[in-house]
Amino acid sequence: MTRSARILRGGALPLLLAVGAMLASGCAKRLELKMTIDVLSEPGKADVEYRNKPVGAVPQRINIETFDDLESIKATAADGQVVEKRIRILSPETAQVIFRFGKEPSALAKKLGAASLLVFEYSEKVSFDSGKADLKPEALPILNKQKEILNTYFPNSKAFVCGYTDSTGGDDLNMKLSLDRATAVFNYLSAAGGVAKSRLEPRGFGKDFPLDTNATPVGRALNRRTEVVLPD
């Protein structure tokens, strides 16, 4: 046996294999996600950090390449802690990241028994036609990315798939529509090769937990949505 072979057998080879495994793991985790992100905060101002570097106060616009970049966006405020990080998907290329600060969990977090939440939000315009529970074709590429995110970055986490409506229409109809939409997203995410059904739970909340006023068309549009919610 040559000297180099003895070195590899004795200790260097296991080290090289371990380093290779670490590098492969790191590379596998970098999910491409090319988007323009507008960073906001509620209520009041917050300071934004990106890739461990301060970039200034909200609002900020950041162009990202991967989900790791999206995860690296953080915010701090003098009064309160982050109780919700909301990723509002506007299109396959654009999104808002909204940090919500408070001194106690949000109403939705309390309902789900969580201290804080990571929320992926999809508006009705992105996912469904008005009054319908059939996914639009243009929503499917976005939900395919959601599958990859859940399986790659949160492989052991359970998530709620939640549906919401505005306050127009009857309560029973709204509750059914919101659950039907949540179930449609749940079914797509958990289809063959997707996220394990045991990790997802569909919930319909009707007009509860509005994001904005139901007194204006803009507010009602924000309230009609589906979400993938990861409790912390």
Side-chain angles (χ1 to χ4, degrees):
M1 183 182 294
T2 65
R3 182 172 180 273
S4 60
R6 287 196 300 272
I7 291 173
L8 288 175
R9 185 176 180 181
L13 181 57
L15 178 60
L16 288 172
L17 290 174
V19 171
M22 289 172 62
L23 290 173
S25 173
C27 291
K29 195 177 181 182
R30 293 184 65 82
L31 173 64
E32 183 177 289
L33 196 70
K34 294 185 178 181
M35 301 183 83
T36 298
I37 305 294
D38 287 323
V39 186
L40 309 169
S41 65
E42 297 176 359
K45 292 290 186 179
D47 294 315
V48 180
E49 182 180 289
Y50 177 55
R51 292 178 175 172
N52 298 316
K53 294 181 180 178
V55 294
V58 295
Q60 290 288 332
R61 175 163 289 183
I62 299 172
N63 293 314
I64 66 168
E65 298 289 330
T66 68
F67 186 76
D68 297 79
D69 291 341
L70 183 61
E71 273 199 313
S72 78
I73 300 173
K74 296 178 171 55
T76 56
D79 187 22
Q81 60 186 359
V82 176
V83 296
E84 181 180 287
K85 182 178 181 180
R86 175 172 292 268
I87 301 167
R88 177 174 291 158
I89 309 299
L90 304 176
S91 76
E93 299 82 26
T94 59
Q96 296 174 337
V97 173
I98 305 163
F99 290 92
R100 292 186 166 179
F101 292 88
K103 296 184 178 179
E104 60 179 39
S106 67
L108 178 60
K110 290 178 180 178
K111 179 74 174 180
L112 299 177
S116 60
L117 301 174
L118 172 61
V119 180
F120 296 87
E121 176 196 323
Y122 302 95
S123 71
E124 177 188 66
K125 182 179 178 181
V126 170
S127 304
F128 300 98
D129 288 322
S130 180
K132 305 294 184 182
D134 300 312
L135 284 166
K136 290 181 177 181
E138 52 265 40
L140 305 187
I142 297 173
L143 291 178
N144 286 338
K145 283 291 185 182
Q146 182 73 76
K147 288 183 191 180
E148 292 184 79
I149 290 168
L150 291 173
N151 282 335
T152 303
Y153 292 85
F154 307 97
N156 300 313
S157 299
K158 291 194 173 183
F160 296 94
V161 183
C162 303
Y164 309 84
T165 67
D166 60 28
S167 63
T168 59
D171 289 349
D172 290 344
L173 178 63
N174 284 337
M175 192 63 71
K176 182 180 185 305
L177 179 60
S178 65
L179 181 57
D180 287 347
R181 288 179 167 181
T183 301
V185 174
F186 165 83
N187 287 337
Y188 188 81
L189 292 177
S190 61
V195 183
K197 287 186 176 182
S198 60
R199 294 177 51 209
L200 302 174
E201 182 179 340
R203 293 279 193 98
F205 290 119
K207 66 181 181 182
D208 293 341
F209 308 109
L211 297 178
D212 206 334
T213 177
N214 278 302
T216 67
V218 172
R220 290 192 294 273
L222 274 175
N223 293 334
R224 298 190 299 267
R225 67 197 190 278
T226 51
E227 297 173 349
V228 175
V229 182
L230 289 141
D232 188 4

